[in-house]
Amino acid sequence: MRSLNVAGIFLLLGIATVALMIWQHVGMNIQHNLLADASRTATLFSDRINGGTSAGTVSGSDGDVTLQCNVNHNDFTHAFCGFTLNVAARNQGVDITRFNTLELDVEYETPVNDTLLVYLLNKEYQPEERERANMQPLNILAGKSSYSISVSSFFVPSWWIYQFPRDDLQGQANMKNVTKLRLTTGDNAQSRSVKIVLRSAILSGKAISKTQMYFMVIACWIIVTAFFSIRLLLGLYHSSKAHKAKNLKLHAENSQLYVEKQKLSEVAKTDPLTGVLNRAGLTHAMLMLKLNDIDNSDTHSLIYLDVDHFKKINDNFGHDKGDEVLVALCDMLKASIRHSDLLIRMGGEEFLIICTHTMLGDASQLAEKFRNQIASSIIADIDITCSFGVTECRSSNLQSAIARADKYLYQAKQSGRNQVCSTLA
Ligand SMILES: Nc1nc2c(ncn2[C@@H]2O[C@H](COP(=O)(O)OP(=O)(O)OP(=O)(O)O)[C@@H](O)[C@H]2O)c(=O)[nH]1
């Protein structure tokens, strides 16, 4: 749902971008009629400012501005003639930088070849009060009256720079506060009679320039992309944090479970009454012995022992006393066997001792030692004896060796109990 929203927003943004570009290209047109908005005072502007003698009149009718002038050649200044038209409404100049072109409908009647100079005078107060002359010459063609001048092609003529030599940016066109439009004859200074008729001067452009539009569009894309990127990164950061916490929790739970499993595994292998290995522990021990400790060449011995007449102990002293006897017997045996030997409760009052790396003779002697020790001790306040079956085994046939040991134990029982029977006998 969230990704759909993001895709939808980017789709909308894409559509809006394309629509805006098309609109900017075919629409968004703005125009400013310099003749309509101005207070329309047109005045003669000629070489008389420099001491020349050209003379003429400026008149206006039906929105036109007409100049009739006799250009009089002279030897001391450039002869020219023209007019200046005030285009500022209520002293507020026109910011022409918003426009792309100046469309002029103008006729220039002159008997000689000449250019028509178009000026846009920019009123400036810094660093001093002056009118910057932004100028563009027009090549007048016979029969043509409509001219389109690119606003960006206006430049400051060298005579103006010469007049204001103090400003670093003096040569740059500035058209942010244009107050006057001026048309004058051009470079041809021959004496002649000229007529200039200005019918319209229209600035045209776009409400939003291409540059502005691209800037806005790119800014929108950057903002939207940054917004979703940050949101995505924050989401990833939070989910990775949550995953990390979950993983840590799982790890802790796993560790706990592993400890519990180890404990349960130990409990499962241990006889709860005596604390020695049970049959499950024997299986584990067999695996361990086969895999780790014993190779086939090793010889081990088994001592299978059983408390004699244990039923009577239970019957005479109670089951709890019987338990006590079993626990005390195990304690005694545990204290006597080696660390590498294993003591297993096979069930009831039967126990198996696996004597690793022990020959039959030594195991028989050990069994005899246990028998004697038990018979001569008072265990849990009870005088007990045990019968023993001893045999030798190799790791590969432990099960059959247990059966053999059990057989010798049975033999010991049959032979009167409190004795050791083995293969040796
Ligand atoms: N107190 C106690 N008694 C047990 C336990 N496990 C088995 N027994 C008892 O041990 C007795 C074993 O009796 P039997 O199998 O007849 O053997 P026995 O009386 O020792 O006679 P022999 O083995 O022939 O000398 C039974 O009465 C069982 O109930 C135990 O964990 N605690």
Side-chain angles (χ1 to χ4, degrees):
M1 188 67 188
R2 176 176 290 189
S3 63
L4 258 183
N5 283 342
V6 175
I9 285 169
F10 274 106
L11 183 68
L12 273 178
L13 199 60
I15 292 170
T17 301
V18 172
L20 202 65
M21 286 169 81
I22 294 171
W23 185 27
Q24 202 277 342
H25 190 68
V26 299
M28 287 191 194
N29 295 318
I30 52 167
Q31 284 195 330
H32 181 79
N33 188 342
L34 287 175
L35 298 190
D37 285 358
S39 54
R40 302 285 314 285
T41 34
T43 52
L44 183 73
F45 183 76
S46 71
D47 53 20
R48 282 179 180 264
I49 59 164
N50 298 329
T53 57
S54 298
T57 58
V58 183
S59 61
S61 67
D62 301 331
D64 295 352
V65 179
T66 304
L67 166 77
Q68 298 269 9
C69 187
N70 290 319
V71 179
N72 293 325
H73 178 78
N74 63 76
D75 291 333
F76 45 88
T77 187
H78 177 77
F80 71 92
C81 201
F83 64 86
T84 304
L85 181 70
N86 186 8
V87 295
R90 280 181 245 104
N91 286 329
Q92 181 62 52
V94 183
D95 183 356
I96 290 190
T97 54
R98 296 187 299 136
F99 299 97
N100 298 329
T101 53
L102 172 63
E103 313 281 350
L104 286 181
D105 187 347
V106 63
E107 279 176 28
Y108 179 21
E109 293 174 19
T110 172
V112 296
N113 182 33
D114 194 14
T115 53
L116 180 67
L117 303 184
V118 180
Y119 290 91
L120 290 168
L121 302 177
N122 196 66
K123 186 76 178 171
E124 291 169 13
Y125 300 97
Q126 291 294 335
E128 61 195 283
E129 189 167 339
R130 65 194 181 188
E131 274 180 332
R132 180 179 295 260
N134 304 296
M135 191 266 273
Q136 180 59 228
L138 268 190
N139 191 14
I140 296 299
L141 300 172
K144 187 180 175 190
S145 62
S146 190
Y147 298 90
S148 179
I149 311 170
S150 168
V151 168
S152 62
S153 70
F154 276 82
F155 62 93
V156 177
S158 59
W159 60 258
W160 190 88
I161 298 170
Y162 177 72
Q163 198 175 325
F164 297 99
R166 294 172 296 278
D167 185 359
D168 284 347
L169 300 175
Q170 58 194 327
Q172 264 185 11
N174 181 5
M175 293 196 276
K176 290 193 171 158
N177 189 35
V178 171
T179 52
K180 289 171 184 166
L181 170 66
R182 175 178 293 161
L183 301 185
T184 69
T185 59
D187 293 315
N188 197 327
Q190 289 178 41
S191 294
R192 66 199 189 274
S193 178
V194 299
K195 183 181 178 185
I196 299 173
V197 180
L198 177 64
R199 296 207 172 81
S200 74
I202 295 171
L203 289 162
S204 61
K206 298 283 182 184
I208 300 174
S209 72
K210 264 202 176 82
T211 313
Q212 285 173 322
M213 191 199 62
Y214 286 139
F215 181 79
M216 277 162 43
V217 166
I218 289 170
C220 278
W221 277 93
I222 289 173
I223 289 167
V224 171
T225 308
F227 172 77
F228 283 112
S229 301
I230 288 168
R231 204 176 74 157
L232 180 74
L233 285 176
L234 280 177
L236 285 174
Y237 171 73
H238 286 307
S239 74
S240 98
K241 217 171 145 185
H243 270 105
K244 215 170 168 183
K246 205 172 162 188
N247 277 344
L248 278 175
K249 200 176 160 203
L250 279 175
H251 186 73
E253 283 173 1
N254 272 345
S255 303
Q256 183 69 23
L257 281 174
Y258 180 76
V259 170
E260 294 294 325
K261 189 182 151 221
Q262 289 294 102
K263 276 186 196 164
L264 282 175
S265 163
E266 285 304 314
V267 166
K269 286 186 292 184
T270 309
D271 172 47
L273 176 67
T274 59
V276 301
L277 294 174
N278 57 18
R279 277 185 179 274
L282 169 65
T283 311
H284 179 75
M286 279 168 67
L287 283 172
M288 294 290 288
L289 286 171
K290 274 185 188 176
L291 293 175
N292 300 325
D293 294 340
I294 301 171
D295 60 41
N296 284 335
S297 64
D298 282 332
T299 301
H300 314 286
S301 291
L302 304 183
I303 301 174
Y304 212 146
L305 69 123
D306 184 291
V307 183
D308 296 332
H309 300 303
F310 191 64
K311 186 172 179 308
K312 280 186 189 165
I313 296 170
N314 274 337
D315 292 346
N316 296 340
F317 303 101
H319 199 269
D320 286 347
K321 183 51 97 180
D323 284 355
E324 265 184 58
V325 169
L326 294 177
V327 172
L329 176 64
C330 279
D331 288 345
M332 175 192 273
L333 292 171
K334 272 192 283 185
S336 302
I337 60 175
R338 293 171 304 177
H339 188 68
S340 58
D341 294 342
L342 296 170
L343 175 61
I344 301 127
R345 186 180 181 194
M346 300 296 280
E349 81 289 15
E350 289 180 16
F351 296 91
L352 179 70
I353 301 168
I354 301 178
C355 307
T356 56
H357 308 287
T358 307
M359 307 293 280
L360 179 65
D362 293 335
S364 295
Q365 279 182 16
L366 186 63
E368 185 55 36
K369 191 187 112 186
F370 287 150
R371 189 202 62 75
N372 193 35
Q373 190 178 356
I374 294 164
S376 58
S377 307
I378 301 296
I379 296 176
D381 303 326
I382 308 283
D383 193 4
I384 65 164
T385 60
C386 286
S387 299
F388 296 79
V390 183
T391 192
E392 206 174 64
C393 84
R394 292 182 188 279
S395 59
S396 54
N397 59 7
L398 191 61
Q399 278 298 0
S400 60
I402 291 173
R404 217 166 41 245
D406 191 29
K407 194 184 85 185
Y408 288 118
L409 169 62
Y410 180 76
Q411 194 180 316
K413 290 273 184 186
Q414 291 300 312
S415 307
R417 296 182 174 78
N418 190 24
Q419 55 188 278
V420 176
C421 280
S422 72
T423 323
L424 284 176

